[in-house]
Amino acid sequence: MTLLCLVLVGPSTSADAPVVRPLPPGAVRDVVANRVMTWNICNPCGDSDVDRAAEIAAFAPQVIGLQEACVRDVDRIRDHLERRYGLVYHVEYGMVLRSWGRCGGLPWNPGGYGEAILSAAPMTDRVHVEYPDGGSEDRGYLSVTTKVGGRSVRVFNTHFAERRQEAVRAEQARVLAAEVAPYEHAVVLGDFNAGPEAVELAPLWALAADADPRCRPSGAVACEPTTDWHSKFDYVFLRGLAALRHGVELTPYSDHHLLHADLHLT
């Protein structure tokens, strides 16, 4: 019976706890209309979706891009955000794998795994593309049009190939940059698995700037790390937009930190 329950429920559900973790002092109580965030939530890591939701609620972004996300986990995170914190989000998915090992589900119908975008405003014109070469694991990007600070913005969320696959990432960057280029105002979120100085990110740097104005290819030492191994792999790239402020928040629930930015949209 225990084995049957594990098969039916899946590994990503067992860690949820009924106890609500209180928000830290000074946490916002409503969505911040001009705030965007990116977070690789780490999978499979066995962390609680209750805790993941609390981490997001502490900063309450208007838009958040999640990587290494399972559909079931994102659904629960969204539900916790609404029920526990009164933060209501729409969600779009960009699944690249169906993986029982990562996402649970029935062995013949495993859960979807990939990227997700949550937005407090409705999203339109969803596009989901898998890269021609994902590297050691299928990878892709998800894009939508939504409102940030009351302004219509195209939002991209992606996850590039793992480390030591520079040539694969270079092609992924070329594909993504070609899709970003037509948009006058765009936010590109994601885990790019490459530092700012990496040559494979050049097509994106040619189009957009990091939310941290000090962080650029020629000044990589000024970039704040976004991972537990002290590398900057996560970015909020801005095209035709600027950031008023940004922050990198350490979290015990992933090997990637939360990266958020408040945008200047007037």
Side-chain angles (χ1 to χ4, degrees):
M1 288 298 294
T2 300
L3 178 61
L4 178 60
C5 288
L6 286 173
V7 170
L8 291 175
V9 175
S12 63
T13 64
S14 59
D16 274 3
V19 179
V20 179
R21 189 168 70 86
L23 291 179
V28 297
R29 301 296 171 177
D30 199 359
V31 167
V32 181
N34 66 331
R35 182 169 294 168
V36 298
M37 177 185 286
T38 183
W39 189 21
N40 181 322
I41 61 176
C42 185
N43 193 306
C45 289
D47 289 307
S48 166
D49 293 323
V50 172
D51 291 326
R52 288 166 169 162
E55 293 289 278
I56 294 170
F59 302 97
Q62 172 79 4
V63 172
I64 178 169
L66 299 177
Q67 303 89 43
E68 295 196 21
C70 295
V71 170
R72 292 183 183 90
D73 285 330
V74 176
D75 284 347
R76 283 192 294 270
I77 290 169
R78 178 182 58 176
D79 289 346
H80 292 320
L81 286 167
E82 182 172 359
R83 291 201 305 265
R84 297 168 183 264
Y85 306 107
L87 303 174
V88 180
Y89 287 95
H90 304 267
V91 63
E92 291 287 355
Y93 298 99
M95 300 296 107
V96 294
L97 292 173
R98 300 193 67 81
S99 173
W100 183 85
R102 286 187 180 272
C103 297
L106 298 172
W108 56 89
N109 185 26
Y113 167 86
E115 288 80 56
I117 296 175
L118 285 76
S119 174
M123 292 175 276
T124 61
D125 303 318
R126 172 190 176 273
V127 172
H128 173 232
V129 173
E130 289 193 39
Y131 294 121
D133 184 359
S136 56
E137 181 179 81
D138 291 351
R139 295 290 163 90
Y141 73 81
L142 171 67
S143 67
V144 300
T145 297
T146 189
K147 293 287 184 69
V148 180
R151 185 175 194 170
S152 180
V153 174
R154 190 68 178 174
V155 177
F156 294 79
N157 182 25
T158 192
H159 189 191
F160 277 12
E162 295 175 349
R163 289 175 288 177
R164 295 179 292 278
Q165 300 179 69
E166 291 84 356
V168 175
R169 289 196 299 275
E171 178 61 17
Q172 293 171 348
R174 187 194 65 79
V175 171
L176 181 60
E179 297 303 315
V180 175
Y183 293 95
E184 183 179 357
H185 301 107
V187 177
V188 186
L189 309 169
D191 171 8
F192 292 82
N193 273 314
E197 74 288 350
V199 295
E200 60 263 34
L201 296 187
L204 292 165
W205 285 114
L207 292 173
D210 190 70
D212 179 356
R214 301 172 304 166
C215 184
R216 56 194 186 280
S218 61
V221 293
C223 302
E224 191 170 358
T226 63
T227 67
D228 286 352
W229 49 94
H230 307 296
S231 297
K232 178 176 172 64
F233 282 175
D234 306 89
Y235 297 82
V236 174
F237 281 117
L238 302 175
R239 176 168 170 80
L241 301 166
L244 292 169
R245 61 191 64 85
H246 75 284
V248 177
E249 314 296 337
L250 276 66
T251 169
Y253 305 111
S254 176
D255 52 357
H256 287 253
H257 312 330
L258 292 86
L259 174 60
H260 57 85
D262 293 354
L263 306 188
H264 179 67
L265 294 157
T266 58

